[in-house]
Protein backbone atom coordinates (compact mmCIF):
# COMPACT_ATOMS: atom_id res chain seq x y z
CA UNK A 1 0.00 0.00 0.00
CA UNK A 2 2.95 2.36 0.37
CA UNK A 3 4.49 4.55 -2.29
CA UNK A 4 6.42 2.97 -5.12
CA UNK A 5 6.06 -0.49 -3.64
CA UNK A 6 4.85 -2.13 -6.85
CA UNK A 7 5.90 -1.29 -10.39
CA UNK A 8 2.39 -1.86 -11.66
CA UNK A 9 0.76 0.75 -9.41
CA UNK A 10 -0.52 3.56 -11.62
CA UNK A 11 -1.99 5.61 -8.74
CA UNK A 12 -0.67 5.69 -5.19
CA UNK A 13 -2.55 7.56 -2.46
CA UNK A 14 -0.71 7.96 0.83
CA UNK A 15 -2.31 9.09 4.06
CA UNK A 16 -4.61 11.49 2.20
CA UNK A 17 -6.56 14.00 4.27
CA UNK A 18 -9.10 16.53 3.10
CA UNK A 19 -10.69 18.76 5.74
CA UNK A 20 -13.19 21.53 5.09
CA UNK A 21 -13.54 24.42 7.58
CA UNK A 22 -16.98 24.96 9.11
CA UNK A 23 -18.51 28.26 10.23
CA UNK A 24 -17.36 27.45 13.76
CA UNK A 25 -13.72 28.45 14.20
CA UNK A 26 -11.37 25.52 14.57
CA UNK A 27 -14.01 22.96 13.62
CA UNK A 28 -13.55 20.96 10.44
CA UNK A 29 -15.50 18.48 8.35
CA UNK A 30 -13.00 15.65 8.07
CA UNK A 31 -14.30 14.37 4.73
CA UNK A 32 -11.20 12.24 4.10
CA UNK A 33 -9.09 11.42 7.12
CA UNK A 34 -5.89 9.56 6.36
CA UNK A 35 -6.48 7.00 3.64
CA UNK A 36 -3.94 5.00 1.66
CA UNK A 37 -4.58 2.85 -1.38
CA UNK A 38 -3.26 2.09 -4.83
CA UNK A 39 -4.82 1.49 -8.22
CA UNK A 40 -2.93 -0.98 -10.35
CA UNK A 41 -2.52 -0.87 -14.11
CA UNK A 42 -5.53 -2.26 -15.94
CA UNK A 43 -7.62 -2.91 -12.83
CA UNK A 44 -10.86 -1.50 -11.47
CA UNK A 45 -10.67 -0.41 -7.87
CA UNK A 46 -14.19 0.00 -6.51
CA UNK A 47 -14.29 2.71 -3.84
CA UNK A 48 -17.58 2.11 -2.07
CA UNK A 49 -19.34 4.03 0.67
CA UNK A 50 -22.55 5.56 1.92
CA UNK A 51 -23.30 9.23 1.38
CA UNK A 52 -20.89 11.21 3.59
CA UNK A 53 -18.21 8.50 3.63
CA UNK A 54 -15.70 10.65 1.70
CA UNK A 55 -15.56 8.60 -1.49
CA UNK A 56 -16.42 11.46 -3.86
CA UNK A 57 -14.07 13.86 -2.06
CA UNK A 58 -11.32 11.29 -2.62
CA UNK A 59 -12.16 11.24 -6.34
CA UNK A 60 -12.07 15.04 -6.53
CA UNK A 61 -8.68 15.04 -4.80
CA UNK A 62 -7.32 12.54 -7.33
CA UNK A 63 -8.64 14.48 -10.31
CA UNK A 64 -7.34 17.75 -8.85
CA UNK A 65 -10.65 19.53 -8.28
CA UNK A 66 -9.73 19.83 -4.58
CA UNK A 67 -6.29 20.45 -3.14
CA UNK A 68 -5.24 18.02 -0.41
CA UNK A 69 -5.09 19.02 3.27
CA UNK A 70 -2.30 16.51 3.89
CA UNK A 71 -0.87 13.38 2.35
CA UNK A 72 0.39 12.51 -1.10
CA UNK A 73 -1.05 11.39 -4.41
CA UNK A 74 1.31 9.92 -7.01
CA UNK A 75 0.26 9.24 -10.59
CA UNK A 76 2.72 7.15 -12.60
CA UNK A 77 5.29 8.05 -9.98
CA UNK A 78 4.74 11.83 -10.24
CA UNK A 79 3.57 13.72 -7.16
CA UNK A 80 0.23 15.31 -8.13
CA UNK A 81 -0.89 16.26 -4.63
CA UNK A 82 0.03 19.94 -5.05
CA UNK A 83 -1.92 22.68 -6.80
CA UNK A 84 -4.04 21.00 -9.49
CA UNK A 85 -3.72 24.07 -11.72
CA UNK A 86 0.01 23.40 -11.96
CA UNK A 87 -0.33 19.83 -13.19
CA UNK A 88 1.37 19.45 -16.59
CA UNK A 89 -1.05 19.14 -19.53
CA UNK A 90 0.34 15.70 -20.36
CA UNK A 91 -0.76 14.44 -16.92
CA UNK A 92 -4.20 16.02 -17.18
CA UNK A 93 -4.61 14.34 -20.54
CA UNK A 94 -3.75 10.96 -19.07
CA UNK A 95 -6.13 11.17 -16.09
CA UNK A 96 -9.80 11.79 -16.88
CA UNK A 97 -13.14 11.66 -15.07
CA UNK A 98 -16.73 10.71 -15.86
CA UNK A 99 -19.23 12.45 -13.60
CA UNK A 100 -22.41 11.10 -12.11
CA UNK A 101 -24.89 13.29 -13.96
CA UNK A 102 -24.26 13.83 -17.68
CA UNK A 103 -27.18 16.28 -17.66
CA UNK A 104 -25.06 18.79 -15.76
CA UNK A 105 -21.58 17.78 -16.89
CA UNK A 106 -22.31 18.45 -20.60
CA UNK A 107 -22.74 22.06 -21.76
CA UNK A 108 -26.35 22.32 -23.06
CA UNK A 109 -25.41 25.25 -25.34
CA UNK A 110 -22.94 23.21 -27.37
CA UNK A 111 -23.43 20.43 -29.87
CA UNK A 112 -21.99 17.04 -29.08
CA UNK A 113 -19.38 17.65 -31.78
CA UNK A 114 -18.30 20.86 -30.04
CA UNK A 115 -18.26 19.14 -26.64
CA UNK A 116 -16.00 16.37 -27.94
CA UNK A 117 -13.82 18.78 -29.90
CA UNK A 118 -12.93 20.90 -26.87
CA UNK A 119 -10.49 18.48 -25.15
CA UNK A 120 -9.04 17.60 -28.56
CA UNK A 121 -8.26 21.27 -29.24
CA UNK A 122 -6.84 21.85 -25.74
CA UNK A 123 -4.51 18.89 -26.10
CA UNK A 124 -3.77 19.48 -29.80
CA UNK A 125 -5.33 16.23 -31.01
CA UNK A 126 -5.47 15.14 -33.79
CA UNK A 127 -2.07 15.98 -35.14
CA UNK A 128 -1.17 17.39 -38.52
CA UNK A 129 -2.75 15.68 -41.51
CA UNK A 130 -5.66 14.24 -39.50
CA UNK A 131 -9.16 15.66 -39.67
CA UNK A 132 -10.92 16.69 -36.49
CA UNK A 133 -14.23 15.40 -37.83
CA UNK A 134 -12.78 11.94 -38.41
CA UNK A 135 -11.61 11.81 -34.81
CA UNK A 136 -15.05 12.94 -33.56
CA UNK A 137 -16.79 10.22 -35.55
CA UNK A 138 -14.30 7.66 -34.30
CA UNK A 139 -15.01 8.73 -30.71
CA UNK A 140 -18.76 8.38 -31.24
CA UNK A 141 -18.24 4.92 -32.77
CA UNK A 142 -16.20 3.93 -29.74
CA UNK A 143 -19.28 4.51 -27.56
CA UNK A 144 -21.69 3.03 -30.12
CA UNK A 145 -23.29 6.31 -31.22
CA UNK A 146 -23.92 7.19 -34.89
CA UNK A 147 -21.90 9.94 -36.66
CA UNK A 148 -24.89 12.30 -37.01
CA UNK A 149 -24.87 12.80 -33.23
CA UNK A 150 -22.11 15.36 -33.85
CA UNK A 151 -24.85 17.86 -34.71
CA UNK A 152 -27.21 17.06 -31.83
CA UNK A 153 -27.48 18.88 -28.51
CA UNK A 154 -27.35 17.03 -25.17
CA UNK A 155 -30.99 17.85 -24.42
CA UNK A 156 -32.17 16.08 -27.58
CA UNK A 157 -30.75 12.68 -26.62
CA UNK A 158 -31.51 10.26 -23.77
CA UNK A 159 -29.74 10.11 -20.39
CA UNK A 160 -27.87 6.92 -21.28
CA UNK A 161 -26.68 8.44 -24.55
CA UNK A 162 -25.56 11.59 -22.72
CA UNK A 163 -23.44 9.41 -20.44
CA UNK A 164 -21.97 7.71 -23.53
CA UNK A 165 -20.99 11.16 -24.82
CA UNK A 166 -19.43 11.95 -21.42
CA UNK A 167 -17.44 8.71 -21.66
CA UNK A 168 -16.37 9.58 -25.22
CA UNK A 169 -15.23 13.00 -23.98
CA UNK A 170 -13.18 11.36 -21.22
CA UNK A 171 -11.56 9.05 -23.80
CA UNK A 172 -10.87 11.85 -26.31
CA UNK A 173 -7.37 12.46 -24.96
CA UNK A 174 -6.39 8.75 -24.88
CA UNK A 175 -6.08 8.55 -21.08
CA UNK A 176 -4.73 5.54 -19.24
CA UNK A 177 -6.68 6.24 -16.03
CA UNK A 178 -10.33 7.20 -15.58
CA UNK A 179 -12.17 8.13 -12.40
CA UNK A 180 -15.79 7.03 -12.67
CA UNK A 181 -17.96 8.87 -10.15
CA UNK A 182 -21.23 6.91 -9.84
CA UNK A 183 -21.48 6.81 -13.66
CA UNK A 184 -24.76 4.88 -13.72
CA UNK A 185 -26.61 6.03 -10.62
CA UNK A 186 -28.44 8.89 -12.36
CA UNK A 187 -29.61 6.60 -15.18
CA UNK A 188 -32.65 4.40 -15.75
CA UNK A 189 -32.11 0.81 -14.72
CA UNK A 190 -32.72 -0.20 -18.35
CA UNK A 191 -29.54 1.55 -19.56
CA UNK A 192 -27.30 0.95 -16.55
CA UNK A 193 -26.24 -2.52 -17.71
CA UNK A 194 -25.43 -1.20 -21.18
CA UNK A 195 -23.13 1.49 -19.76
CA UNK A 196 -21.43 -0.98 -17.41
CA UNK A 197 -20.81 -3.44 -20.25
CA UNK A 198 -19.45 -0.61 -22.35
CA UNK A 199 -17.05 0.43 -19.59
CA UNK A 200 -15.80 -3.16 -19.29
CA UNK A 201 -15.26 -3.38 -23.06
CA UNK A 202 -13.48 -0.02 -23.20
CA UNK A 203 -11.21 -0.99 -20.32
CA UNK A 204 -9.99 -4.04 -22.23
CA UNK A 205 -9.81 -2.20 -25.56
CA UNK A 206 -7.71 0.70 -24.27
CA UNK A 207 -6.03 -0.95 -21.25
CA UNK A 208 -7.65 1.56 -18.90
CA UNK A 209 -7.34 1.64 -15.13
CA UNK A 210 -10.50 2.68 -13.29
CA UNK A 211 -11.17 4.19 -9.89
CA UNK A 212 -14.90 3.43 -9.67
CA UNK A 213 -16.76 5.44 -7.02
CA UNK A 214 -20.12 4.01 -6.00
CA UNK A 215 -22.59 3.55 -3.16
CA UNK A 216 -23.76 0.32 -4.80
CA UNK A 217 -21.75 -2.54 -3.35
CA UNK A 218 -23.56 -5.20 -5.40
CA UNK A 219 -22.42 -3.50 -8.61
CA UNK A 220 -18.81 -4.24 -7.65
CA UNK A 221 -19.30 -8.00 -7.45
CA UNK A 222 -18.74 -8.57 -11.16
CA UNK A 223 -16.95 -5.37 -12.03
CA UNK A 224 -14.19 -4.60 -9.55
CA UNK A 225 -10.77 -6.21 -9.39
CA UNK A 226 -10.45 -4.99 -5.80
CA UNK A 227 -12.90 -3.27 -3.49
CA UNK A 228 -12.22 -0.63 -0.83
CA UNK A 229 -14.96 0.36 1.55
CA UNK A 230 -15.00 3.80 3.16
CA UNK A 231 -16.64 4.86 6.39
CA UNK A 232 -16.44 8.36 7.86
CA UNK A 233 -13.44 9.41 5.81
CA UNK A 234 -11.41 6.23 6.39
CA UNK A 235 -10.98 2.96 4.56
CA UNK A 236 -12.45 0.16 6.65
CA UNK A 237 -11.45 -2.75 4.41
CA UNK A 238 -9.72 -3.27 1.07
CA UNK A 239 -9.32 -6.61 -0.67
CA UNK A 240 -9.48 -8.43 -4.00
CA UNK A 241 -13.16 -8.57 -5.01
CA UNK A 242 -13.41 -12.36 -4.80
CA UNK A 243 -12.02 -12.36 -1.28
CA UNK A 244 -14.02 -9.29 -0.29
CA UNK A 245 -17.36 -10.86 -1.19
CA UNK A 246 -16.48 -14.40 -0.09
CA UNK A 247 -14.80 -13.55 3.15
CA UNK A 248 -15.63 -10.01 4.36
CA UNK A 249 -13.91 -9.25 7.63
CA UNK A 250 -14.89 -5.78 8.85
CA UNK A 251 -18.22 -5.68 10.75
CA UNK A 252 -19.34 -2.75 8.56
CA UNK A 253 -18.65 -4.70 5.36
CA UNK A 254 -20.51 -7.68 6.81
CA UNK A 255 -23.44 -5.45 7.74
CA UNK A 256 -23.69 -4.06 4.21
CA UNK A 257 -23.17 -7.37 2.46
CA UNK A 258 -25.71 -9.18 4.58
CA UNK A 259 -28.40 -6.77 3.44
CA UNK A 260 -27.82 -6.55 -0.32
CA UNK A 261 -29.91 -8.69 -2.68
CA UNK A 262 -28.21 -11.58 -4.48
CA UNK A 263 -29.18 -13.25 -7.73
CA UNK A 264 -27.94 -16.82 -7.33
CA UNK A 265 -27.88 -19.62 -4.78
CA UNK A 266 -24.07 -19.52 -4.81
CA UNK A 267 -24.09 -15.83 -3.91
CA UNK A 268 -26.68 -16.47 -1.19
CA UNK A 269 -24.38 -19.09 0.34
CA UNK A 270 -21.52 -16.60 0.38
CA UNK A 271 -23.54 -13.93 2.16
CA UNK A 272 -22.49 -13.22 5.73
CA UNK A 273 -24.97 -14.03 8.47
CA UNK A 274 -27.48 -11.21 8.90
CA UNK A 275 -25.73 -8.45 10.85
CA UNK A 276 -28.21 -6.00 12.34
CA UNK A 277 -28.01 -2.56 10.77
CA UNK A 278 -27.96 0.01 13.55
CA UNK A 279 -28.28 3.77 13.13
CA UNK A 280 -26.99 6.05 10.42
CA UNK A 281 -23.52 7.25 9.47
CA UNK A 282 -22.70 10.16 11.86
CA UNK A 283 -21.71 13.62 10.64
CA UNK A 284 -18.02 13.87 9.70
CA UNK A 285 -17.93 17.01 11.89
CA UNK A 286 -18.64 14.93 15.00
CA UNK A 287 -16.70 11.76 14.42
CA UNK A 288 -17.06 9.44 17.43
CA UNK A 289 -13.82 8.82 19.39
CA UNK A 290 -11.99 5.53 18.94
CA UNK A 291 -13.32 3.52 16.02
CA UNK A 292 -15.77 5.76 14.14
CA UNK A 293 -18.03 2.77 13.53
CA UNK A 294 -18.40 1.82 17.21
CA UNK A 295 -21.88 3.37 17.79
CA UNK A 296 -23.24 1.06 15.06
CA UNK A 297 -21.04 -1.97 15.58
CA UNK A 298 -22.54 -5.10 17.17
CA UNK A 299 -19.00 -6.34 17.96
CA UNK A 300 -17.78 -3.16 19.71
CA UNK A 301 -15.62 -3.59 22.82
CA UNK A 302 -14.24 -1.09 25.32
CA UNK A 303 -11.06 -0.49 23.30
CA UNK A 304 -13.20 0.45 20.28
CA UNK A 305 -14.62 3.43 22.19
CA UNK A 306 -11.16 4.78 22.98
CA UNK A 307 -8.61 3.79 20.34
CA UNK A 308 -8.82 4.27 16.58
CA UNK A 309 -7.76 0.95 15.04
CA UNK A 310 -4.90 0.75 12.55
CA UNK A 311 -5.09 -0.93 9.17
CA UNK A 312 -3.61 -4.44 9.16
CA UNK A 313 -3.04 -7.00 6.43
CA UNK A 314 -4.83 -10.13 7.60
CA UNK A 315 -3.96 -12.29 4.59
CA UNK A 316 -1.95 -11.15 1.56
CA UNK A 317 -3.62 -8.14 -0.08
CA UNK A 318 -6.61 -8.14 2.33
CA UNK A 319 -6.48 -5.15 4.68
CA UNK A 320 -8.85 -4.42 7.57
CA UNK A 321 -9.10 -1.56 10.04
CA UNK A 322 -10.66 -3.17 13.10
CA UNK A 323 -9.49 -4.13 16.61
CA UNK A 324 -10.85 -7.65 16.09
CA UNK A 325 -7.94 -8.26 13.73
CA UNK A 326 -5.23 -6.12 15.27
CA UNK A 327 -3.88 -9.02 17.32
CA UNK A 328 -4.07 -11.66 14.60
CA UNK A 329 -0.77 -13.56 14.45
CA UNK A 330 -0.48 -13.05 10.73
CA UNK A 331 -1.56 -9.41 10.83
CA UNK A 332 0.94 -6.85 9.65
CA UNK A 333 0.66 -3.16 10.39
CA UNK A 334 0.42 -0.97 7.32
CA UNK A 335 2.58 2.07 7.80
CA UNK A 336 0.75 5.30 7.04
CA UNK A 337 -2.65 3.67 6.61
FE1 LIG B 1 -16.46 -2.75 15.56
FE2 LIG B 1 -14.47 -2.30 17.25
FE3 LIG B 1 -13.96 -3.30 14.85
FE4 LIG B 1 -14.74 -0.79 15.11
S1 LIG B 1 -12.83 -1.67 15.86
S2 LIG B 1 -15.47 -2.23 13.63
S3 LIG B 1 -16.18 -0.93 16.79
S4 LIG B 1 -15.12 -4.28 16.50
Amino acid sequence: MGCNTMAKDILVVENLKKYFPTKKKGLYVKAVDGISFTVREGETLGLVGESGSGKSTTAYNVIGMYGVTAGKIYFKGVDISGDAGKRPLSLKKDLQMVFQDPGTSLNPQRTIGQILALPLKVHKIPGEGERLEDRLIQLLETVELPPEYIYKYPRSIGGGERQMVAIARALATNPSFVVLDEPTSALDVSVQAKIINMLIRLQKQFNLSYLFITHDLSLMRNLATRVAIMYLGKIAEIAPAVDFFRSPKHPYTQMLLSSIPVISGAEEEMKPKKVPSRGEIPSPVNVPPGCGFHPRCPMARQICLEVDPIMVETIPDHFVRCHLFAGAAEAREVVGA
Side-chain angles (χ1 to χ4, degrees), residues 1 40 226 235-239 311-321 332 334:
M1 299 253 293
R40 299 169 189 162
R226 291 183 301 137
I235 290 179
E237 182 162 5
I238 180 166
M311 186 72 104
V312 294
E313 187 173 27
T314 56
I315 55 172
D317 221 20
H318 192 146
F319 299 85
V320 187
R321 181 190 288 274
R332 210 158 47 77
V334 180

Side-chain angles (χ1 to χ4, degrees), residues 250-252 291-295 297-301 304 307 309 321-324:
H250 197 283
Y252 178 53
C291 171
F293 186 58
H294 85 251
C297 183
M299 320 285 277
R301 302 174 293 174
C304 307
V307 181
R321 181 190 288 274
C322 172
H323 287 303
L324 297 179

Side-chain angles (χ1 to χ4, degrees), residues 70-95:
K72 292 285 185 190
I73 304 173
Y74 298 91
F75 179 66
K76 292 188 171 175
V78 178
D79 183 354
I80 57 166
S81 32
D83 184 351
K86 292 185 183 152
R87 284 184 188 181
L89 258 188
S90 58
L91 267 184
K92 289 184 183 171
K93 182 174 159 218
D94 210 8
L95 203 165

Side-chain angles (χ1 to χ4, degrees), residues 61-312:
N61 272 132
V62 168
I63 203 72
M65 284 169 68
Y66 294 157
V68 309
T69 302
K72 292 285 185 190
I73 304 173
Y74 298 91
F75 179 66
K76 292 188 171 175
V78 178
D79 183 354
I80 57 166
S81 32
D83 184 351
K86 292 185 183 152
R87 284 184 188 181
L89 258 188
S90 58
L91 267 184
K92 289 184 183 171
K93 182 174 159 218
D94 210 8
L95 203 165
Q96 293 289 330
M97 181 154 177
V98 174
F99 294 88
Q100 180 177 358
D101 185 0
T104 52
S105 71
L106 301 180
N107 187 339
Q109 310 297 332
R110 293 178 186 267
T111 64
I112 287 161
Q114 290 169 327
I115 289 169
L116 295 179
L118 190 62
L120 296 175
K121 285 177 182 159
V122 169
H123 294 283
K124 300 191 171 47
I125 309 168
E128 250 176 71
E130 294 170 287
R131 288 178 61 225
L132 176 65
E133 195 174 326
D134 291 344
R135 178 69 180 140
L136 296 177
I137 291 170
Q138 190 190 35
L139 277 171
L140 287 172
E141 271 172 7
T142 302
V143 294
E144 297 163 25
L145 291 175
E148 59 270 22
Y149 272 49
I150 285 181
Y151 306 106
K152 288 181 184 278
Y153 285 87
R155 64 176 173 276
S156 66
I157 62 175
E161 289 179 330
R162 280 198 288 270
Q163 196 58 304
M164 290 174 197
V165 172
I167 294 167
R169 180 178 58 181
L171 297 182
T173 58
N174 299 318
S176 53
F177 186 91
V178 183
V179 178
L180 301 160
D181 185 17
E182 305 256 17
T184 58
S185 63
L187 305 177
D188 286 348
V189 178
S190 57
V191 292
Q192 284 181 4
K194 185 169 183 187
I195 297 286
I196 292 294
N197 288 335
M198 180 178 289
L199 289 169
I200 294 170
R201 171 178 63 76
L202 293 170
Q203 181 171 42
K204 287 193 191 123
Q205 193 174 340
F206 299 111
N207 191 29
L208 299 168
S209 309
Y210 289 153
L211 175 60
F212 198 118
I213 310 293
T214 183
H215 67 279
D216 186 352
L217 194 48
S218 55
L219 189 62
M220 292 297 104
R221 195 186 290 275
N222 299 314
L223 186 60
T225 318
R226 291 183 301 137
V227 182
I229 189 139
M230 280 191 80
Y231 188 83
L232 275 184
K234 295 184 173 165
I235 290 179
E237 182 162 5
I238 180 166
V242 174
D243 201 23
F244 184 92
F245 285 99
R246 190 172 291 161
S247 180
K249 298 200 170 1
H250 197 283
Y252 178 53
T253 314
Q254 293 182 350
M255 189 174 96
L256 292 179
L257 280 176
S258 71
S259 60
I260 61 172
V262 292
I263 51 166
S264 69
E267 287 181 356
E268 183 64 45
E269 262 178 40
M270 266 195 262
K271 251 169 95 162
K273 264 199 336 259
K274 184 81 188 158
V275 179
S277 174
R278 301 200 305 208
E280 301 290 326
I281 188 167
S283 157
V285 183
N286 289 312
V287 176
C291 171
F293 186 58
H294 85 251
R296 300 175 71 189
C297 183
M299 320 285 277
R301 302 174 293 174
Q302 187 56 37
I303 189 176
C304 307
L305 280 60
E306 295 159 4
V307 181
D308 193 8
I310 55 167
M311 186 72 104
V312 294

